[in-house]
Amino acid sequence: MITQDDQAGGGRRDPREAELIIPSDFDQLERVRRFIRDFCQRAGAGTPGSDRICDVELAATEVLTNIMRHAYRGEGQRDIHIRLRLEDGPRLVLTVYDWGGPFDPAQVPPPDFDGSRSGGFGLYIIGQLVDNLEFSRDPDGRNRTRLEMNLAPKNDRQASE
């Protein structure tokens, strides 16, 4: 694992940016949630346990689970890169990179809420939690999932809309 605090060479980086590299192992999910929590607290973007921080953690868990399960097909030692950046607002940008198979969200059927399925809700859940969700693939075969979330408390967000 590499985090902003672990990187060598020339002092600390911007506290409003951080990076983490993990193997594609489900045991890493708690580490990622803690990374997000700690980052948001250090960057002054909310306190652990706040609704919006919990939403970020859940959205990230769903993204990573989908990558591990579908893009990497359960292969446990493939890299996943996670970048966090805090922008004014406060707005959190979480970007996840993987080198698994291509993903087209248009090919994912909408979830059925009739109790007939035990899975297939991840993309729907992510879409409900974040303000903006983008998927892309670069020419080198790297997938990018980008989530943006306004971290202001709900009352503050409604007042600014």
Side-chain angles (χ1 to χ4, degrees):
M1 169 181 81
I2 299 173
T3 66
Q4 111 181 10
D5 295 330
D6 295 334
Q7 293 180 7
R12 294 185 53 87
R13 295 172 54 186
D14 185 340
R16 296 171 60 97
E17 294 183 6
E19 183 174 290
L20 175 68
I21 300 171
I22 62 166
S24 58
D25 184 323
F26 292 104
D27 290 341
Q28 297 293 315
L29 295 173
E30 175 53 36
R31 174 182 263 168
V32 173
R33 289 189 292 269
R34 189 172 51 250
F35 171 69
I36 291 167
R37 245 178 273 141
D38 292 348
F39 171 79
C40 289
Q41 187 171 21
R42 264 192 331 267
T47 57
S50 72
D51 288 346
R52 291 306 280 173
I53 304 304
C54 290
D55 289 350
V56 173
E57 291 176 26
L58 178 55
T61 297
E62 289 296 330
V63 167
L64 294 169
T65 298
N66 284 340
I67 290 168
M68 292 174 192
R69 219 175 249 148
H70 303 293
Y72 286 159
R73 293 186 166 87
E75 296 176 32
Q77 293 303 314
R78 306 231 1 230
D79 281 348
I80 299 174
H81 293 216
I82 302 158
R83 290 188 183 148
L84 293 171
R85 186 176 76 243
L86 185 65
E87 299 177 347
D88 291 336
R91 187 163 200 78
L92 183 71
V93 177
L94 181 141
T95 308
V96 180
Y97 299 95
D98 71 82
W99 289 262
F103 174 67
D104 179 0
Q107 299 299 314
V108 177
D112 292 321
F113 295 105
D114 62 2
S116 63
R117 291 175 39 188
S118 60
F121 300 98
L123 191 56
Y124 174 82
I125 291 169
I126 296 164
Q128 296 300 305
L129 295 170
V130 303
D131 299 316
N132 189 40
L133 175 61
E134 298 172 5
F135 297 97
S136 62
R137 188 168 174 91
D138 67 24
D140 295 327
R142 181 174 73 165
N143 295 311
R144 180 186 75 129
T145 306
R146 187 174 190 271
L147 297 81
E148 293 182 35
M149 294 183 70
N150 184 338
L151 295 180
K154 192 172 190 174
N155 293 342
D156 293 347
R157 288 195 318 265
Q158 289 172 339
S160 67
E161 293 174 352

